[in-house]
Amino acid sequence: MVPRPSHATRSPRGARPRFLAAARAAARAGAALLAFAIAPAARADDGPGALPWRVPGAIGYTVDAASFPDSAGTRLEVYLRLRPATLARLAQDVTHEPWIRFALRLRPAGRRGPAHTATQELRVTAADTLAAYGRVLVVPFRVAPGAHVLEVRAEARRHLLPGAGTGRPDVAKVEGEVVVPGAQAGRSISDLEFVWAAGDSNTPRAFRRDGVARLPNPERLYGLYENALRASFAARAPEGAARPWRWVARVLDDAGAVVVARESTGTAAATLDADVALDLSRTPAGGYTLEVKAWQEGDEGALLRRARFSVAWDAETWTRDPGDLADEAHLLLGREQDERFARLQPGEQERVLADYWRARDPSPETAANEARETFRRRVAFANATYGRAGVGRGMFSDMGRVFIRYGEPSEVQRQVMPGWDNELSRVLRQLLTSDDRPVGDLQNVPGADMRPFEVWIYEGEIAMPLDASERAGTPRHLGKPLLFLFIDERMVGDYRLRYSTE
């Protein structure tokens, strides 16, 4: 029997419910396999962390930035990418021309100074939803070296988004610190600007700089749709130091090993503008570091710049809202691993989850991973069945979490409408006589107990939960039924787990 549709609230992702002690221990055991791939978590007050910043949700976008020294000082370019999922949501509107507006504010961090502001507005067309690149905007600022606080605010009409009404716009904001590097002994090198395409004026939405068309890559993501890493950088020496340049670019893995490298030279000049192109077609999914060193002949040392990027080969990594992926990981990982996962780059997240499900694949000799497919089906069912409009997704409800872990129960006992027959009291008495676990204050209800309830019963061969360990999905015989009691305390359709024999 499939559990009936019911209204259940979503618990906040940051406050993981504590109603399944065994689930927590199992999740921690499974997550231990992932610890090697996840960097230490940042504190909640540290802001969004290092660039790029990925903002999930209905107005999902990514923010990156790169600074370039030139004859007038330093130019900071802020890159904004609207993901395909965001564009598809906006393009669904058939009564109004979809639009989205960005407002940016850049101010010095921890010191007085003028704040710079800029706005960009764009119209969304059906053609914008066809490419995995999404839409990319470039917003330039003139800045001084040092730390700056960047605020980005995106808004779209509420009636353009699924499930939203007319009225005030939907807003998605992010704020964090951007550091603009200064000169080194009179010489300077820019940040590394990651691009998806360079030199091709036919590339959709490409921008031209110094006579070259470029499509910036705010995600710093390569692999499936772009298997060649492309990056640009600039270096400057003191005026009059017209000597030949040399530079080397290397991709390093997390162990510091060189994955691919390239060396090149530049003409005798005080400035160097260079483009890096490295083949990543054989590079596994994960996080990597691009390292660039540049120097002129006769220099004692080299200018150095490093930046993180990632490689991903799954189409969902490129197009899916990162919030959806983080929500699924939230059900599988322990608290610390969950917080760290949210700060990983897309390719790193792809590798972590691939390793996680590979260890749980019941038939690794086949192309399909049945454990992951089962998990996805259960998540989709929970969202469709136990969610509630205006509250949250069903996967985070108590019923949704139990269904995702164990699937369809063998039997469901329920009292849907409030009754006067003390049926819940009878069920509680049965629990007291059949199990030695206390039921707490569940039975301390004066008078007739009218609360609606459901009891989910799992009997026979019960599979290990999908988040338990490498043995996930393995049938086991517990010897007695596994019970979960959900009660609608306020009689508004919000069923909470109040007792289980797990």
Side-chain angles (χ1 to χ4, degrees):
M1 178 186 298
V2 176
R4 64 162 182 81
S6 67
H7 300 297
T9 60
R10 168 179 175 172
S11 301
R13 290 188 63 247
R16 186 187 299 272
R18 298 302 176 193
F19 52 82
L20 296 177
R24 297 197 308 272
R28 286 194 296 266
L33 298 174
L34 311 178
F36 74 94
I38 303 181
R43 299 188 307 271
D45 58 355
D46 281 345
L51 289 165
W53 306 329
R54 295 176 178 84
V55 181
I59 315 177
Y61 62 95
T62 300
V63 181
D64 198 11
S67 62
F68 297 86
D70 57 26
S71 58
T74 303
R75 181 183 73 257
L76 178 70
E77 291 186 352
V78 177
Y79 312 114
L80 307 170
R81 181 206 180 206
L82 282 166
R83 305 186 193 98
T86 302
L87 296 170
R89 292 188 185 103
L90 290 170
Q92 288 175 2
D93 182 67
V94 295
T95 59
H96 298 79
E97 185 179 19
W99 62 263
I100 188 167
R101 179 184 296 116
F102 285 97
L104 295 83
R105 184 171 185 265
L106 185 71
R107 57 181 173 82
R111 65 186 190 277
R112 293 183 177 180
H116 304 277
T117 60
T119 59
Q120 288 251 0
E121 182 174 311
L122 62 88
R123 305 287 172 171
V124 178
T125 67
D128 292 325
T129 66
L130 300 179
Y133 300 122
R135 283 285 297 272
V136 178
L137 305 177
V138 179
V139 184
F141 293 95
R142 279 289 170 187
V143 297
H148 300 262
V149 175
L150 175 63
E151 305 169 23
V152 181
R153 183 181 189 270
E155 68 175 50
R157 291 189 186 97
R158 176 174 288 275
H159 63 264
L160 296 179
L161 303 178
T166 58
R168 60 183 178 82
D170 281 277
V171 176
K173 299 184 293 184
V174 66
E175 175 181 325
E177 186 173 276
V178 175
V179 178
V180 176
Q184 307 173 20
R187 301 176 299 162
S188 57
I189 185 171
S190 73
D191 290 317
L192 304 178
E193 179 194 33
F194 292 91
V195 296
W196 272 316
D200 186 359
S201 59
N202 297 319
T203 301
R205 310 294 181 184
F207 301 89
R208 299 192 69 83
R209 186 174 70 239
D210 300 329
V212 179
R214 306 175 192 274
L215 179 63
N217 178 355
E219 297 286 350
R220 304 187 186 183
L221 179 62
Y222 296 92
L224 181 64
Y225 295 110
E226 189 70 47
N227 58 26
L229 182 150
R230 301 178 188 276
S232 302
F233 71 94
R236 297 183 67 86
E239 187 176 352
R243 289 176 283 137
W245 287 88
R246 295 181 61 86
W247 60 267
V248 57
R250 305 190 304 170
V251 170
L252 309 175
D253 63 17
D254 287 337
V258 177
V259 177
V260 61
R262 179 193 171 189
E263 295 185 18
S264 188
T265 60
T267 60
T271 62
L272 169 69
D273 293 294
D275 295 309
V276 178
L278 298 169
D279 181 17
L280 300 177
S281 59
R282 298 179 180 273
T283 305
Y288 298 88
T289 297
L290 173 61
E291 178 187 86
V292 170
K293 294 181 179 180
W295 66 96
Q296 288 180 291
E297 289 186 1
D299 287 347
E300 294 183 358
L303 297 167
L304 172 66
R305 190 69 68 222
R306 295 190 181 101
R308 293 284 292 176
F309 71 96
S310 68
V311 175
W313 300 101
D314 188 337
E316 282 193 347
T317 305
W318 286 74
T319 60
R320 195 179 184 194
D321 188 299
D324 293 340
L325 188 63
D327 282 349
E328 291 188 5
H330 178 70
L331 297 178
L332 302 171
L333 309 181
R335 182 188 297 277
E336 291 185 3
Q337 286 75 22
D338 179 35
E339 293 173 354
R340 295 167 185 166
F341 181 88
R343 292 179 178 267
L344 294 179
Q345 295 209 20
E348 295 174 301
Q349 293 180 336
E350 179 179 307
R351 184 182 66 181
V352 166
L353 290 180
D355 292 344
Y356 182 93
W357 288 112
R358 187 180 298 111
R360 290 155 178 78
D361 190 351
S363 53
E365 69 279 1
T366 65
N369 188 320
E370 293 81 3
R372 188 169 194 175
E373 291 177 354
T374 297
F375 174 78
R376 288 282 182 88
R377 285 196 302 269
R378 291 179 182 177
V379 167
F381 181 89
N383 285 334
T385 306
Y386 306 118
R388 190 162 112 185
V391 176
R393 309 178 74 180
M395 64 194 293
F396 292 111
S397 69
D398 289 4
M399 283 183 164
R401 286 176 180 264
V402 173
F403 182 84
I404 291 169
R405 299 196 78 227
Y406 291 103
E408 180 181 343
S410 308
E411 180 184 353
V412 177
Q413 299 178 6
R414 65 169 61 98
Q415 175 174 276
V416 179
M417 300 298 294
W420 295 90
D421 55 1
N422 275 324
E423 179 67 15
L424 179 54
S425 297
R426 182 186 63 80
V427 171
L428 292 174
R429 287 195 298 271
Q430 289 181 345
L431 293 176
L432 285 170
T433 57
S434 62
D435 193 81
D436 57 0
R437 304 189 188 197
V439 297
D441 61 353
L442 291 180
Q443 57 186 342
N444 298 330
V445 178
D449 194 339
M450 300 184 297
R451 294 173 294 177
F453 69 90
E454 287 194 13
V455 178
W456 290 7
I457 304 173
Y458 294 85
E459 296 182 288
E461 296 291 328
I462 303 172
M464 290 285 289
L466 295 174
D467 62 340
S469 67
E470 298 95 321
R471 297 177 58 240
T474 304
R476 55 176 179 166
H477 191 80
L478 299 179
K480 60 181 179 180
L482 187 60
L483 305 177
F484 297 91
L485 170 62
F486 305 92
I487 299 178
D488 182 5
E489 301 282 2
R490 300 180 180 178
M491 291 183 279
V492 293
D494 181 12
Y495 285 79
R496 300 296 182 97
L497 181 65
R498 296 300 307 276
Y499 177 85
S500 80
T501 59
E502 188 180 36

